[in-house]
Amino acid sequence: MGKHTDQRDRTLLLARILQEETDEKHPMPMAALSARMARHGVSAERKSIYRDVAALRKHGMDVIFRAGSEGGWYVGRRTFSQSELRTIIDAVSVYRWMPDEQKDALLDKLAAMAPLPQRKSLRRPVTVRRRSAAHPDEVRAALDRIHTAIQNRKALSFLPVVYDKGKTRVADVSRRTVSPKGLLWFEENYYLLAWDHKDRAMHLCRPDRMSEVLVTGMPAQGPAADPGRWSNAPFGLNPARRERVRLRCRQELAGEILDRFGSDVTLVSEGENFIVTADVVVSPRFWGWLAAQGDRAALVAPPWAAKLWKDRYQTGEEVLPARRPQAV
């Protein structure tokens, strides 16, 4: 029994050393492997290491040997590549709906999935401005219940939250019941697209402004909804306000246009300018963005919007069409 236990210990130790300390740029030769295992009190001869490597390969570990003076053994394919881990870590770093302590612990765990030589390059400092008054734990709890309701096709109830002039969260005394249709992500905030049981209409709700969220036993109600229709046009989340607009822009705005409207839009050259046609939500955000461009961009179509913009922009009046439905 002792012999088998020692063999298992040796195989598991070898797997840990290879996983934690090697990669393609940092292979470990046989002598170094034996010395590293001896340091942990486990003796390993060349033949036994070969057998252990064969066992690890048999069970899915991608152990590779590279010949040469700077060669050795290393783990090739991993659950996440360095590029994938870096992407995940960067995304977690800028995610603001998580307490700093919890975020740091998660980043440490993610970095530990890479071999030691790569870990330092994975932790890159990012400063995030936390603008919401809601505590991240409260928002995460609300999101968990929202996902549960969506997956189980159940209705939700919650108390809407507002803020008074003292910046205090004040919950409404009457509960609101909705059937969730999907979560949207817009301008660094979550929005819940939901069917309101009382109003019999679709609404947008902010999870950070929902208190005491409960999953009810009531089946979800309301028509089917496509969350993509609400989120795949810039400047807002109201599909009723979506319009196909045409803009004449100066060449210097090409990068800004691609950032705002997506890289799949077509820029048609027109002398020193270009024309772009895209779907947008005609909202105060759109008018504000257009005003910020000054004479670098002009609204050409649709005619009603172009006339409204020309009249009010030239006279200096505030361009504010009818308000879109407010998210609670």
Side-chain angles (χ1 to χ4, degrees), residues 133-143 145 163 169 207-208 210 213:
H135 193 279
D137 283 342
E138 297 174 354
V139 180
R140 292 304 309 169
L143 291 171
R145 292 186 176 96
Y163 290 87
R169 282 168 62 90
D208 57 321
M210 298 166 63
V213 181

Side-chain angles (χ1 to χ4, degrees), residues 65-133:
F65 177 74
R66 186 169 70 225
S69 58
E70 297 183 358
W73 300 93
Y74 66 93
V75 174
R77 184 181 64 255
R78 296 171 180 269
T79 302
F80 296 109
S81 67
Q82 185 180 22
S83 175
E84 291 169 336
L85 268 178
R86 186 177 290 120
T87 300
I88 296 170
I89 287 174
D90 285 349
V92 172
S93 297
V94 299
Y95 184 69
R96 61 192 183 95
W97 298 112
M98 184 180 293
D100 291 338
E101 317 81 59
Q102 185 179 350
K103 181 184 291 187
D104 288 340
L106 178 56
L107 290 172
D108 287 340
K109 291 177 182 178
L110 289 169
M113 298 181 72
L116 288 169
Q118 297 179 11
R119 292 181 189 178
K120 187 176 181 181
S121 67
L122 290 173
R123 292 300 301 268
R124 298 177 290 186
V126 178
T127 301
V128 179
R129 179 187 175 195
R130 179 159 295 156
R131 295 181 298 177
S132 176

Side-chain angles (χ1 to χ4, degrees), residues 16-315:
R16 196 185 83 186
I17 292 172
L18 290 170
Q19 190 76 24
E20 292 183 352
E21 302 183 36
T22 72
D23 60 21
E24 187 176 3
K25 295 181 179 179
H26 303 87
M28 189 173 290
M30 182 67 71
L33 273 176
S34 297
R36 191 62 51 87
M37 296 178 75
R39 192 180 304 169
H40 289 277
V42 176
S43 61
E45 299 176 352
R46 179 180 295 267
K47 289 183 178 180
S48 63
I49 291 179
Y50 278 126
R51 286 196 299 268
D52 292 338
V53 166
L56 294 175
R57 286 173 168 170
K58 180 180 178 181
H59 290 280
M61 182 176 283
D62 187 29
V63 184
I64 300 172
F65 177 74
R66 186 169 70 225
S69 58
E70 297 183 358
W73 300 93
Y74 66 93
V75 174
R77 184 181 64 255
R78 296 171 180 269
T79 302
F80 296 109
S81 67
Q82 185 180 22
S83 175
E84 291 169 336
L85 268 178
R86 186 177 290 120
T87 300
I88 296 170
I89 287 174
D90 285 349
V92 172
S93 297
V94 299
Y95 184 69
R96 61 192 183 95
W97 298 112
M98 184 180 293
D100 291 338
E101 317 81 59
Q102 185 179 350
K103 181 184 291 187
D104 288 340
L106 178 56
L107 290 172
D108 287 340
K109 291 177 182 178
L110 289 169
M113 298 181 72
L116 288 169
Q118 297 179 11
R119 292 181 189 178
K120 187 176 181 181
S121 67
L122 290 173
R123 292 300 301 268
R124 298 177 290 186
V126 178
T127 301
V128 179
R129 179 187 175 195
R130 179 159 295 156
R131 295 181 298 177
S132 176
H135 193 279
D137 283 342
E138 297 174 354
V139 180
R140 292 304 309 169
L143 291 171
D144 288 343
R145 292 186 176 96
I146 289 170
H147 282 296
T148 298
I150 292 174
Q151 292 165 4
N152 293 289
R153 299 181 182 179
K154 298 294 184 181
L156 283 172
S157 73
F158 65 94
L159 297 177
V161 171
V162 295
Y163 290 87
D164 62 19
K165 61 183 179 181
K167 302 180 183 179
T168 302
R169 282 168 62 90
V170 181
D172 198 330
V173 295
S174 58
R175 297 193 73 84
R176 184 173 175 181
T177 303
V178 300
S179 290
K181 302 299 179 179
L183 275 171
L184 313 177
W185 179 256
F186 180 72
E187 294 187 348
E188 298 186 24
N189 281 307
Y190 285 107
Y191 288 83
L192 171 65
L193 178 61
W195 175 261
D196 190 289
H197 289 209
K198 181 178 180 181
D199 295 347
R200 310 299 296 174
M202 211 70 75
H203 287 281
L204 291 170
C205 309
R206 286 264 297 267
D208 57 321
R209 295 178 185 173
M210 298 166 63
S211 179
E212 298 183 25
V213 181
L214 299 175
V215 181
T216 73
M218 187 186 309
Q221 300 179 17
D226 178 12
R229 288 192 64 248
W230 292 69
S231 61
N232 60 8
F235 303 112
L237 293 173
N238 189 349
R241 281 194 173 181
R242 181 170 302 170
E243 291 282 352
R244 178 153 292 184
V245 301
R246 189 159 70 251
L247 300 167
R248 179 181 293 110
C249 307
R250 289 187 181 178
Q251 293 291 342
E252 63 199 73
L253 268 187
E256 168 73 12
I257 292 297
L258 293 176
D259 287 342
R260 285 284 178 176
F261 300 104
S263 59
D264 56 340
V265 297
T266 301
L267 311 184
V268 180
S269 181
E270 186 184 74
E272 296 182 355
N273 304 314
F274 64 86
I275 299 292
V276 61
T277 302
D279 290 336
V280 305
V281 174
V282 181
S283 66
R285 286 187 179 93
F286 170 68
W287 297 116
W289 172 84
L290 189 58
Q293 307 314 314
D295 59 0
R296 300 186 301 170
L299 183 59
V300 178
W304 70 266
K307 184 178 186 305
L308 176 65
W309 175 249
K310 181 180 179 181
D311 293 345
R312 298 198 175 182
Y313 179 68
Q314 289 182 340
T315 60

